[in-house]
Amino acid sequence: MDRVFPNAIPVTGDWNGTGTAKVGVFSNGTWYLDMNGNGVWDGSSTDKVILNFGQGLPNAIPVTGDWDNSGVTKIGVFSNGTWYLDMNGNGVWDGPNVDKLIPNFGQGLPNAIPVTGDWNGTGVTKIGVFSNGTWYLDVNGNGVWDGSSTDKVILNFGQGLPNAIPVTGDWTNTGVTRVGVFSNGIWYLDILGNGIWDGGVTDITIPDFGKGVNGAQPIVLKKK
């Protein structure tokens, strides 16, 4: 994309339901989505600009997912433990009766980073939080932490790794999203999906993809 986006945070998704994931950028509350997938910002007549979804929210972090199993990725924002999800895909916050407001999933957790994925293969993207190496995944999709007997807690996947950033994806094309960590240019992917680092023979380590790149942020091209 060939223009400058201040404080840009990368996002990915299948913005138009073609079956192919595409890139985008969240910049100070404004979204720029590459609709035709050519990697160029062609302007709002071809690509898509979404104004003010997340603007003014404290510490807003963009999230994306297929919230309703429609085949189209929609946007959302995580702000200090509260989630704002655009359910109807119009790029406007229509209030909690139309869109979805999830309070307190991740609130109070230290250094909480939002994650999304289809944790159980139902076709619907669900939410989660990564906090200092521990993952809290909303498996049943009700937006409430129901405890580890219903939802899922993953301990120590990424704990102790320097500058660990969580990543999620369907690493083996099973329909189920699994976890991973990007740490200073090295990727650690949980191939088995058991939430345990089983070593590079069973799981996957990808060294040096992004290492040395200034301000490198990991992205995974995913639809769920």
Side-chain angles (χ1 to χ4, degrees), residues 9 34 41-42 61 101 109-111 113 117 148 154 184 194 197:
I9 301 175
D34 179 22
W41 174 248
D42 297 300
I61 301 174
L101 176 69
L109 291 175
N111 305 310
I113 300 175
S148 57
I154 299 175
N184 290 353
N194 61 356
W197 175 248

Side-chain angles (χ1 to χ4, degrees), residues 10 163 165 182 184-185 209-219:
N163 305 309
I165 301 174
F182 175 82
N184 290 353
F209 198 97
K211 190 172 184 178
V213 177
N214 185 39
Q217 298 183 57
I219 59 170

Side-chain angles (χ1 to χ4, degrees), residues 84 110 130 185 198:
Y84 303 83
F130 175 83
D198 296 296

Side-chain angles (χ1 to χ4, degrees), residues 14-220:
D14 184 0
W15 314 125
N16 50 8
T18 63
T20 301
K22 305 163 189 78
V23 301
V25 168
F26 175 82
S27 173
N28 293 347
T30 298
W31 303 70
Y32 302 86
L33 307 182
D34 179 22
M35 299 300 289
N36 61 8
N38 67 350
V40 177
W41 174 248
D42 297 300
S44 58
S45 60
T46 301
D47 292 324
K48 188 172 187 178
V49 60
I50 300 174
L51 301 173
N52 304 328
F53 199 103
Q55 192 172 48
L57 292 174
N59 305 310
I61 301 174
V63 294
T64 62
D66 184 356
W67 314 127
D68 58 359
N69 196 22
S70 65
V72 176
T73 305
K74 303 168 186 72
I75 66 172
V77 169
F78 174 85
S79 171
N80 291 351
T82 298
W83 303 70
Y84 303 83
L85 306 182
D86 178 24
M87 297 300 293
N88 60 8
N90 66 350
V92 177
W93 175 249
D94 297 299
N97 293 326
V98 176
D99 291 323
K100 192 169 187 178
L101 176 69
I102 303 174
N104 305 328
F105 199 102
Q107 191 172 50
L109 291 175
N111 305 310
I113 300 175
V115 294
T116 62
D118 185 0
W119 314 127
N120 54 1
T122 64
V124 176
T125 305
K126 303 155 191 87
I127 66 173
V129 170
F130 175 83
S131 171
N132 292 350
T134 299
W135 304 68
Y136 302 88
L137 306 182
D138 178 26
V139 173
N140 62 7
N142 66 350
V144 177
W145 175 250
D146 297 300
S148 57
S149 60
T150 300
D151 291 324
K152 189 171 186 178
V153 60
I154 299 175
L155 301 173
N156 304 327
F157 200 101
Q159 191 173 48
L161 291 175
N163 305 309
I165 301 174
V167 293
T168 62
D170 183 1
W171 314 129
T172 56
N173 197 30
T174 61
V176 177
T177 305
R178 299 182 170 91
V179 304
V181 169
F182 175 82
S183 171
N184 290 353
I186 300 175
W187 302 68
Y188 303 86
L189 306 183
D190 178 24
I191 297 299
L192 282 185
N194 61 356
I196 299 170
W197 175 248
D198 296 296
V201 176
T202 302
D203 290 325
I204 286 184
T205 303
I206 303 174
D208 302 332
F209 198 97
K211 190 172 184 178
V213 177
N214 185 39
Q217 298 183 57
I219 59 170
V220 177

